[in-house]
């Protein structure tokens, strides 16, 4: 019957070719079966300890008779009466060891809340505006190139680009400073309003920005604006690229380990006005196309009393640096062109270098977050390829969807996101926060990860216990990961100062590989 049904469902086209529709169904069914087999193995291995321990305990309980229990109790009573010294020594030793263990454990770091800056609508800029400005200031050829890049960039027509009204800025430093102040003060004001924390309670300030580093520093600007206390630990990170947001979180975490009972304020931003390029080098024109205004302020705490009101707990930070490799070191660099105009160059080596750095990063991250079943599969394929020299065995890419519910991948551009989706075997739903952030806000550098998390919160997708993976790339070349666990379900209706709140119903939008300018 099965063979007859199969024959009856097979039709021929006018060219004599068999219809492939029914041939796809068995492959689809086999993939579904493979999926459930894999999930079954995952649950068996993950719960192996319980599956083995429970029957053993039941067997021991069944063999224990009442007389055995009485004998055990009599033995314990005997030792308590006649071996008081031994019992006292053992109890004291256990107490000392327990004290040392709990004192040496790293302090838990909580993310109380965060705030993403949403610029004023007067700074909205369309892709066509950017192209026209470049054509008018540089030349028409550069404008055409910019237009082609923007149509394939994944950016929409409602990103924020200060300085385009006066491009190039007549007073570059003052314009960049005004932009930095607007982003920093706007994000931090909203953060303190959301959390109700007194600025005087902040003991650590970490600021990261790549290309704009005035004197006094931006971290000193924050200390002055909010009148922070005199013993505040202030750090200003510069030139570390788009992955510096995770570096700042990692630095704040390390400082919180040695500074008890305090808050850490992390400010991640980039100054677009300071990065505008007015030359003709195409590798440097890309920054004008992709980077936009934005920033995020994050409040961390090591106070146990803050656990109940905090949103997330920091689980891991993993940093990978490939700067020792000359090719990786030079793939993103700030330099002058032949005419002496400063810009940031992106070379053709960027994508392969990013792939190699990602592989190194997830090799370190995997054992920390992946279930045992995925680690066993990865180890088995590694042994087959490296030890047994079985070249036909493909490298196994772990299924990170078994470790995380949410993915926040840096919005480096449409090509970067497409490559990450392919390499990590993610779905369109997994990539939605990253793609919508790129479309709505553009590449806001190190702060893009927080706009993506804010998107997930505005959609009401964050549930208690969910795990979030933040993954960022940056010059150097670096790849950094941050892993968070949600401590509560985030209700979007109760959220304040979320940049997506008033327009989240419009997303997601449909994106094409090429999006021409509106007619």
């Amino acid at each position: 019957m099965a063979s007859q049904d199969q024959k009856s469902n097979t039709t021929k086209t006018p060219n004599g070719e068999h219809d492939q529709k029914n041939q796809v169904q068995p492959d689809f069914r086999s993939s579904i079966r493979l999926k459930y087999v894999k999930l079954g193995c995952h649950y068996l291995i993950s719960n192996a300890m319980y599956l083995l321990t429970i029957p053993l305990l039941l067997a021991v309980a069944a063999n224990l008779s009442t007389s055995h229990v009485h004998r055990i109790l009599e033995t314990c009573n005997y030792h308590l009466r006649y071996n008081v010294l031994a019992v006292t020594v053992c109890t004291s030793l256990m107490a000392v060891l327990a004290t040392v263990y709990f004192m040496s454990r790293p302090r838990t770091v909580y993310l109380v809340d965060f705030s993403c800056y949403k610029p004023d609508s007067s700074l909205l800029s369309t892709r066509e505006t950017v192209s026209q400005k470049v054509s008018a200031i540089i030349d028409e050829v550069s404008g055409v190139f910019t237009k082609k890049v923007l149509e394939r960039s994944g950016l929409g027509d409602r990103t924020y680009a200060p300085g385009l009204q006066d491009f190039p800025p007549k007073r570059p430093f003052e314009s960049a400073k005004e932009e930095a102040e607007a982003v920093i003060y706007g994000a931090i004001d909203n953060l303190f309003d959301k959390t109700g924390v007194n600025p005087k309670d902040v003991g650590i300030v970490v600021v990261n920005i790549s290309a704009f580093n005035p004197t006094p520093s931006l971290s000193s600007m924050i200390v002055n604006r909010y009148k922070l206390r005199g013993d505040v630990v202030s750090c200003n990170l510069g030139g570390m690229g788009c992955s510096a947001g995770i570096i700042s979180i990692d630095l704040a975490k390390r400082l919180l380990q040695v500074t008890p009972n305090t808050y850490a304020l992390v400010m991640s931003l980039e100054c677009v006005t300071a990065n505008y390029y007015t030359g003709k080098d195409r590798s440097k024109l890309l920054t004008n196309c992709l980077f936009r205004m934005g920033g995020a302020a994050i409040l961390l705490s090591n106070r146990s009393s803050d656990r109940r009101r905090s949103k997330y707990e920091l689980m891991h930070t993993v940093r990978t640096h490939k700067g020792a490799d000359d090719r990786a070191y030079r793939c993103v660099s700030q330099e002058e062109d032949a005419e002496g105009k400063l810009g940031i160059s992106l070379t053709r080596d960027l994508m392969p270098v990013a792939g190699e750095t990602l592989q190194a990063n997830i090799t370190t991250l995997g054992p920390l977050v992946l279930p045992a079943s995925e680690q066993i599969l990865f180890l088995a394929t590694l042994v087959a390829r490296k030890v047994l020299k079985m070249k036909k065995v493909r490298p196994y890419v772990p299924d990170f969807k078994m470790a995380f519910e949410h993915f926040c991948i840096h919005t480096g551009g449409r090509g970067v996101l497409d490559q990450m989706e392919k390499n990590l075997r993610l779905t369109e739903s997994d990539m939605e926060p990253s793609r919508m952030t790129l479309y709505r806000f553009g590449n806001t550098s190190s702060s893009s990860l927080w706009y993506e998390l804010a998107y997930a919160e505005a959609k009401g997708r964050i549930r208690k216990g969910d795990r979030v993976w933040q993954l960022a790339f940056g010059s150097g070349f670096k790849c950094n990961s941050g892993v968070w666990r949600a401590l509560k379900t985030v209700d979007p209706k109760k959220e304040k100062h979320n940049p997506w709140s008033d327009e989240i119903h419009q997303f997601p939008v449909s994106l094409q590989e090429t999006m021409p300018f509106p007619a």
Side-chain angles (χ1 to χ4, degrees):
M1 289 295 293
S3 61
Q4 291 177 0
D5 291 340
Q6 194 170 10
K7 289 179 182 178
S8 63
N9 288 331
T10 303
T11 60
K12 287 188 177 181
T13 63
N15 295 326
E17 296 178 356
H18 288 283
D19 187 359
Q20 299 295 321
K21 180 178 179 180
N22 294 295
Q23 295 180 14
V24 174
Q25 292 181 355
D27 294 336
F28 177 74
R29 290 170 182 169
S30 62
S31 64
I32 293 294
R33 293 194 195 100
L34 182 61
K35 174 185 176 182
Y36 284 111
V37 168
K38 186 177 179 180
L39 286 173
C41 293
H42 162 66
Y43 286 117
L44 283 174
I45 294 173
S46 301
N47 299 297
M49 184 179 68
Y50 301 104
L51 296 174
L52 294 174
T53 304
I54 292 176
L56 182 62
L57 291 176
L58 291 174
V60 170
N63 290 327
L64 279 177
S65 63
T66 307
S67 59
H68 290 154
V69 175
H70 283 304
R71 289 178 185 176
I72 293 172
L73 293 174
E74 288 175 359
T75 303
C76 293
N77 187 37
Y78 173 81
H79 285 293
L80 287 173
R81 284 187 177 183
Y82 302 105
N83 293 328
V84 177
L85 180 61
V87 171
T88 303
V89 170
C90 290
T91 305
S92 302
L93 181 61
M94 290 177 64
V96 170
L97 292 176
T99 302
V100 171
Y101 170 74
F102 285 108
M103 291 294 291
S104 61
R105 287 181 64 190
R107 291 184 174 90
T108 303
V109 176
Y110 303 108
L111 192 161
V112 181
D113 213 329
F114 67 96
S115 175
C116 298
Y117 176 69
K118 188 171 184 177
D120 187 79
S121 58
S122 62
L123 298 175
L124 282 171
S125 178
T126 65
R127 293 171 296 156
E128 186 175 6
T129 302
V130 177
S131 177
Q132 289 175 349
K133 288 287 184 180
V134 171
S135 297
I137 299 299
I138 306 175
D139 58 34
E140 188 175 348
V141 175
S142 298
V144 172
F145 171 75
T146 300
K147 180 179 179 180
K148 290 181 178 179
V149 172
L150 286 168
E151 287 179 338
R152 293 168 172 79
S153 65
L155 273 72
D157 283 317
R158 290 179 56 79
T159 57
Y160 301 93
L164 281 179
Q165 294 85 354
D166 181 29
F167 178 76
K170 294 181 177 63
R171 303 181 65 190
F173 179 81
E174 289 299 326
S175 298
K177 186 177 179 182
E178 289 175 3
E179 178 190 347
E181 289 176 343
V183 174
I184 291 172
Y185 299 156
I188 295 179
D189 285 349
N190 288 342
L191 181 65
F192 284 141
D193 181 56
K194 290 175 74 172
T195 60
V197 170
N198 188 334
K200 295 288 185 181
D201 293 332
V202 174
I204 299 166
V205 174
V206 181
V207 179
N208 69 266
I209 187 170
S210 292
F212 180 65
N213 290 284
T215 300
S217 66
L218 297 181
S219 58
S220 295
M221 183 191 299
I222 293 173
V223 173
N224 177 261
R225 164 82 175 197
Y226 297 97
K227 308 303 178 187
L228 304 185
R229 61 189 197 226
D231 63 344
V232 65
V233 179
S234 173
C235 304
N236 200 97
L237 307 181
M240 303 196 78
C242 299
S243 67
I246 300 297
I247 296 175
S248 295
I249 295 295
D250 180 71
L251 175 59
K253 179 189 75 172
R254 294 171 187 263
L255 292 172
L256 286 169
Q257 298 303 321
V258 296
T259 311
N261 199 37
T262 192
Y263 291 103
L265 174 63
V266 176
M267 184 69 219
S268 293
L269 76 155
E270 196 52 79
C271 195
V272 183
T273 306
N275 292 330
Y276 283 132
Y277 174 65
T278 57
K280 301 176 183 178
D281 188 338
R282 290 190 175 186
S283 67
K284 296 179 176 63
L285 280 170
L286 292 173
T287 56
N288 294 356
C289 302
L290 298 176
F291 285 90
R292 294 294 183 267
M293 183 183 191
I298 304 98
L299 187 67
L300 304 176
S301 172
N302 58 11
R303 300 182 176 188
S304 56
S305 58
D306 281 324
R307 179 182 177 87
R308 294 187 63 182
R309 73 182 187 123
S310 296
K311 283 185 174 180
Y312 305 92
E313 177 184 347
L314 181 59
M315 307 303 294
H316 306 286
T317 51
V318 176
R319 295 167 57 178
T320 302
H321 204 309
K322 288 287 185 177
D325 180 4
D326 290 342
R327 185 173 64 120
Y329 175 73
R330 295 191 179 98
C331 68
V332 181
S333 60
Q334 188 178 32
E335 57 190 14
E336 294 177 339
D337 63 11
E339 299 176 353
K341 296 180 178 179
L342 189 65
I344 298 176
S345 293
L346 307 177
T347 70
R348 296 180 182 275
D349 291 327
L350 177 59
M351 293 305 295
V353 165
E356 294 166 8
T357 314
L358 171 67
Q359 185 176 8
N361 187 265
I362 64 177
T363 300
T364 305
L365 178 68
L368 300 175
V369 298
L370 288 170
S373 58
E374 289 297 297
Q375 296 190 46
I376 290 172
L377 287 172
F378 178 79
L379 180 62
T381 55
L382 185 65
V383 170
R385 287 176 54 83
K386 301 297 184 181
V387 179
L388 303 179
K389 306 298 181 183
M390 300 171 65
K391 300 300 182 182
K392 292 184 179 181
V393 177
R394 294 182 179 181
Y396 180 70
V397 179
D399 186 359
F400 280 95
K401 287 184 287 186
M402 290 189 174
F404 305 108
E405 284 75 33
H406 307 281
F407 299 85
C408 299
I409 299 174
H410 168 56
T411 56
R414 185 187 59 82
V416 173
L417 296 181
D418 289 346
Q419 199 65 30
M420 292 302 104
E421 179 180 2
K422 178 181 176 181
N423 291 345
L424 297 174
R425 298 190 303 178
L426 302 178
T427 64
E428 290 185 8
S429 177
D430 298 326
M431 299 298 297
E432 183 184 316
S434 300
R435 287 206 170 95
M436 293 304 103
T437 296
L438 179 63
Y439 176 83
R440 177 61 182 87
F441 292 98
N443 182 348
T444 60
S445 190
S446 57
S447 65
S448 65
L449 302 175
W450 300 102
Y451 285 90
E452 295 165 23
L453 186 56
Y455 179 89
E457 290 187 351
K459 281 290 184 181
R461 295 175 181 173
I462 303 297
R463 297 286 184 269
K464 183 178 180 179
D466 283 0
R467 297 154 298 178
V468 180
W469 182 15
Q470 292 183 322
L471 177 65
F473 303 89
S475 58
F477 190 81
K478 301 179 287 293
C479 176
N480 301 315
S481 291
V483 178
W484 306 87
R485 183 171 63 87
L487 296 176
K488 62 181 179 181
T489 298
V490 178
D491 185 355
K493 296 179 180 179
K494 297 180 180 179
E495 285 296 295
K496 295 172 62 178
H497 307 302
N498 187 312
W500 297 92
S501 294
D502 59 344
E503 53 186 295
I504 192 62
H505 60 281
Q506 301 174 13
F507 295 91
V509 298
S510 177
L511 301 178
Q512 305 298 326
E513 185 175 346
T514 301
M515 295 187 295
F517 292 178

